Amino acid sequence: MQLTRTKSEKTKQTMDEKLNSLRAGVLGSNDGILTVVGVLFSVAAATTNQFTIFIAGLSDLLACAFSMASGEYASVSTQKDTEKAVVEKERQLLKTDFEGELHAVQRHYMTLGVTEETAMAIARDLLTKKPLATVVSIKYDMQLGHYMNPWDAAFASLFSASAGGVFPLPLLAMTFAPAHWQWPATIIAVSVAVALTGYLSAVLGKGNVKTAVIRNVLVGIVTMFIHYYVGTLF
């Protein structure tokens, strides 16, 4: 039975692992944009002191970035622990209930239209060559030895949340744009930024691009309006 993997197989990232890091990055960027601009609008509506506005935005940017990173790390770590527990469970089942695992693989191929006899032959062959990898793949759609990396997700989220708050310039637009361009420049910067994150999230999730972009822009506009109104109350 082949239960081990080569070093190169273990270190090579699967598409799911890469997409998980990209997903964390896109979500981090979106949160970085909206949380920073929310604080900027609230503070800028309450005061015209540029230094105060900048410090408030910068502080929120750092808090958001590290909060997103720690949240992603905790979430993906839990997922990784669950995946490892599943693999260990299947490892034990192969020892204690090999026939049950054999029939589970057989049923999988029968649902694909393979005859009962052929499905059993395939199942026996696979469980002779790669038993653990086979059952993990068929029963859980997982690739043996590949787990979601919490550090990859955390750093992707940390970087993208930080970048989202600065690029394309919501923080800089609000604090350094000329007074008469301050508000429109920030609104345009935020709208373009959230439209981009909406587009990327739709592409990664194979969703409707137009719907995702419109939804993100509307959320961005509502966020700016709410925080501006809150700022005018003080």
Side-chain angles (χ1 to χ4, degrees):
M1 292 186 181
Q2 184 181 343
L3 298 181
T4 60
R5 300 173 65 84
T6 65
K7 184 176 180 180
S8 61
E9 286 177 313
K10 289 181 180 179
T11 56
K12 185 178 179 181
Q13 279 194 323
T14 64
M15 183 58 69
D16 284 343
E17 291 172 300
K18 293 177 182 177
L19 288 178
N20 184 64
S21 295
L22 289 173
R23 175 198 59 79
V26 170
L27 292 177
S29 294
N30 203 59
D31 280 4
I33 294 163
L34 294 181
T35 56
V36 170
V37 79
V39 169
L40 289 175
F41 268 59
S42 294
V43 176
T47 180
T48 57
N49 187 296
Q50 295 297 95
F51 183 72
T52 300
I53 296 171
F54 177 76
I55 291 300
L58 181 61
S59 299
D60 182 72
L61 173 63
L62 294 174
C64 172
F66 283 99
S67 174
M68 285 291 296
S70 61
E72 278 294 329
Y73 179 83
S75 175
V76 177
S77 292
T78 300
Q79 180 179 347
K80 182 178 180 179
D81 291 342
T82 302
E83 291 173 347
K84 285 187 172 182
V86 163
V87 171
E88 189 56 36
K89 171 188 171 183
E90 292 304 320
R91 192 190 307 274
Q92 294 303 316
L93 284 175
L94 284 168
K95 296 177 181 179
T96 60
D97 187 22
F98 186 83
E99 286 300 314
E101 298 288 80
L102 183 66
H103 288 296
V105 177
Q106 179 193 29
R107 287 192 299 271
H108 168 74
Y109 283 99
M110 288 175 64
T111 61
L112 298 179
V114 178
T115 63
E116 183 177 355
E117 294 77 12
T118 303
M120 177 55 74
I122 294 173
R124 289 189 183 281
D125 183 56
L126 288 174
L127 291 191
T128 298
K129 296 176 179 177
K130 299 185 296 182
L132 188 57
T134 297
V135 294
V136 166
S137 174
I138 287 176
K139 294 175 70 173
Y140 302 98
D141 194 25
M142 287 170 48
Q143 187 171 339
L144 183 63
H146 289 269
Y147 305 105
M148 297 302 178
N149 190 319
W151 287 108
D152 285 349
F155 282 118
S157 187
L158 176 67
F159 173 77
S160 59
S162 302
V166 178
F167 181 81
L169 311 182
L171 176 58
L172 299 181
M174 177 60 76
T175 53
F176 295 113
H180 60 286
W181 280 107
Q182 188 179 64
W183 292 101
T186 307
I187 292 170
I188 291 172
V190 172
S191 298
V192 171
V194 294
L196 178 60
T197 58
Y199 170 81
L200 291 175
S201 65
V203 170
L204 291 175
K206 296 181 173 58
N208 186 294
V209 172
K210 182 178 179 181
T211 300
V213 169
I214 293 174
R215 180 176 58 236
N216 263 26
V217 171
L218 289 176
V219 169
I221 292 172
V222 170
T223 299
M224 289 184 279
F225 173 79
I226 292 173
H227 284 85
Y228 176 81
Y229 177 73
V230 170
T232 62
L233 298 177
F234 298 97

